[in-house]
Amino acid sequence: MLQAGPGRDDCLALILSGGGARAAYQVGVMAAIAELTPQHTPNPFPIICGTSAGAINALALATHAGNLHSAVESMLEVWSEFRSHHVMRTDWPGLLAQAWRWSRTNLLGSAAGEATTALLDNRPLRRLLEARMRFGCIEEALQAGQLRAISVSAFDYRSSQSVYFYQGRERITPWRRHRRIGVQTRLGLDHLMASTAIPLLFPPVLLNRAWYGDGAVRQQSPLSPALHLGANKVLVIGVTHHGQTPAAGQPGPVLQTPAPPSLAQLGGHLLHSTFIDNLETDLEQLERMNRLAAYQPFAMRSGDHGVRHVDVLVISPSEPVDLIAARHRAALPAGLRLFLRGSGATRSSGSDLLSYLLFEAEYCNELIALGRRDALAQADDLRRFLGFAETGAGTTHGQL
């Protein structure tokens, strides 16, 4: 953890990255944070920023900002009982109908009927969010001072830029940078559906006369909305394991020519580059800026023209998430398993792609348990970072 700068009023932000089903890990981390706080503790994060599935978790926290434990219990209720049919059509009629629409549009070039560029039908997710999310509670939390701002990111296909839709307690000046802008608005269901619309897998969403897709697409600076909204402390919950990689130029022995990568392997790498790589690069850049801030004159540190020091704490999986997904690939519904079989997603080599799409309770609960363990392993750092007294421990959630 980076050390705090002197003499500042801290404004803490929570960053929840995208990652499809991997976002269950974030719920486990939040459950651990709730354990470290007394009952009836309000939301400790004045600023919450979410992308893709992380946007769903972000708004779930924002709509229960008055009570952190209530927010976590609501998230656990959904994620611990998740099934793929809550997110997408998994029945044979639904899968075949979507496959026919996709083939008619993209292979036969026919515009008749309902055209689509999506391989999967995610209307069940819309119905779930519509039933569960109480969007009006966000404004109530803002007016009550329980939140400063909440941000959801999406990708504008027309302008090829990231758009950060945010709702704030007061007027917050919008920003415009290279291929990213901030837009103050009242958040709703379409913003969530747009942020979670993984390209090719889920359909884009029409919003304000523009088509939007997953917020992680070409997201060059995932930390920027939190900083623009006023944060100087950032808790980042990642969804990928930072394990050791083979040393460059030292590959293992090759006994035979390997098979070419499957479609699932290619898809897994593309999703990694979408959801993960930019966040890691942005964190490295922030660390460099923090080192630079330490060398600037003291008088500039509190001014508008100096380099701001931003404290960062990162919690990410201590185990490879793809290996966890591989253990639970049999939990996929039979129809969806056969639908994905040709791509290689149901083989061990395709577990990267599977780790994003496996919305099944067995897999999600293991990620929740892992997130809880990883966060509690950093309990002392979390207490100091969040400003909680060590005596303020809450109750343990039995579901985990």
Side-chain angles (χ1 to χ4, degrees):
M1 182 177 65
L2 301 175
Q3 298 300 313
R8 295 178 314 178
D9 294 325
D10 289 331
C11 186
L12 178 62
L14 175 66
I15 303 288
L16 298 174
S17 60
R22 289 174 173 234
Y25 177 85
Q26 299 168 350
V27 180
V29 174
M30 293 307 305
I33 292 175
E35 287 188 38
L36 300 176
T37 67
Q39 288 286 347
H40 309 299
T41 297
N43 162 59
F45 305 101
I47 298 170
I48 306 176
C49 302
T51 299
S52 193
I56 296 177
N57 288 336
L59 262 68
L61 290 170
T63 55
H64 294 80
N67 190 318
L68 177 62
H69 290 78
S70 175
V72 170
E73 288 170 3
S74 177
M75 296 163 72
L76 284 169
E77 182 180 348
V78 173
W79 282 95
S80 64
E81 299 178 0
F82 237 144
R83 292 297 172 189
S84 295
H85 67 260
H86 294 140
V87 178
M88 66 198 93
R89 291 283 299 270
T90 61
D91 58 295
W92 273 115
L95 289 170
L96 292 175
Q98 188 69 9
W100 167 242
R101 284 192 292 266
W102 186 90
S103 300
R104 183 179 58 197
T105 301
N106 301 288
L107 298 182
L108 303 180
S110 172
E114 184 182 354
T116 183
T117 57
L119 289 169
L120 299 171
D121 181 351
N122 67 341
R123 281 178 289 188
L125 177 62
R126 174 178 282 272
R127 292 192 292 269
L128 174 67
L129 295 177
E130 190 172 23
R132 300 283 308 192
M133 287 291 183
R134 302 178 299 168
F135 293 99
C137 293
I138 297 175
E139 186 62 29
E140 295 176 8
L142 291 167
Q143 296 305 319
Q146 296 162 344
L147 284 174
R148 171 182 171 86
I150 170 78
S151 167
V152 168
S153 64
F155 179 73
D156 185 344
Y157 285 108
R158 181 181 59 183
S159 63
S160 299
Q161 64 184 357
S162 295
V163 180
Y164 298 100
F165 296 104
Y166 62 93
Q167 188 171 344
R169 183 169 68 238
E170 55 198 21
R171 174 67 177 171
I172 301 175
T173 304
W175 62 91
R176 181 178 293 274
R177 298 292 185 269
H178 178 64
R179 295 202 179 279
R180 64 181 190 272
I181 62 172
V183 177
Q184 188 159 7
T185 187
R186 192 180 183 94
L187 297 175
L189 180 59
D190 284 339
H191 297 98
L192 268 188
M193 293 303 298
S195 186
T196 58
I198 302 175
L200 300 181
L201 296 179
F202 298 142
V205 174
L206 182 62
L207 184 62
N208 299 332
R209 294 186 295 178
W211 289 98
Y212 288 88
D214 197 291
V217 176
R218 299 185 70 177
Q219 188 182 41
Q220 298 177 352
S221 185
L223 304 182
S224 70
L227 305 184
H228 283 291
L229 294 173
N232 53 29
K233 293 183 70 174
V234 178
L235 173 63
V236 179
I237 304 180
V239 293
T240 186
H241 169 64
H242 298 283
Q244 292 184 339
T245 56
Q250 298 180 8
V254 178
L255 301 181
Q256 59 184 7
T257 302
S262 66
L263 183 60
Q265 285 177 287
L266 296 175
H269 285 298
L270 289 175
L271 289 177
H272 278 330
S273 65
T274 297
F275 288 115
I276 296 170
D277 292 349
N278 287 338
L279 176 60
E280 295 175 348
T281 301
D282 210 21
L283 285 169
E284 290 179 357
Q285 175 69 12
L286 184 58
E287 290 183 5
R288 287 194 293 269
M289 296 303 292
N290 280 341
R291 289 195 293 269
L292 177 61
Y295 290 100
Q296 69 182 344
F298 185 80
M300 294 180 60
R301 298 184 185 184
S302 59
D304 294 332
H305 302 291
V307 178
R308 275 196 300 158
H309 183 106
V310 179
D311 298 346
V312 180
L313 179 63
V314 180
I315 300 178
S316 58
S318 59
E319 300 177 16
V321 178
D322 58 324
L323 297 184
I324 298 175
R327 291 199 293 268
H328 296 288
R329 58 179 178 267
L332 270 178
L336 188 59
R337 187 162 63 246
L338 187 59
F339 187 75
L340 296 174
R341 181 179 178 181
S343 70
T346 57
R347 299 194 296 268
S348 59
S349 60
S351 56
D352 270 338
L353 176 62
L354 189 64
S355 69
Y356 292 95
L357 298 177
L358 191 58
F359 292 96
E360 298 295 334
E362 296 85 349
Y363 171 63
C364 292
N365 278 312
E366 187 164 349
L367 288 187
I368 290 171
L370 178 62
R372 177 178 173 271
R373 289 197 306 271
D374 289 346
L376 291 179
Q378 301 186 56
D380 291 340
D381 284 342
L382 269 173
R383 288 192 185 98
R384 286 192 294 268
F385 196 78
L386 301 177
F388 294 145
E390 293 196 14
T391 56
T395 58
T396 300
H397 292 277
Q399 300 96 315
L400 300 179

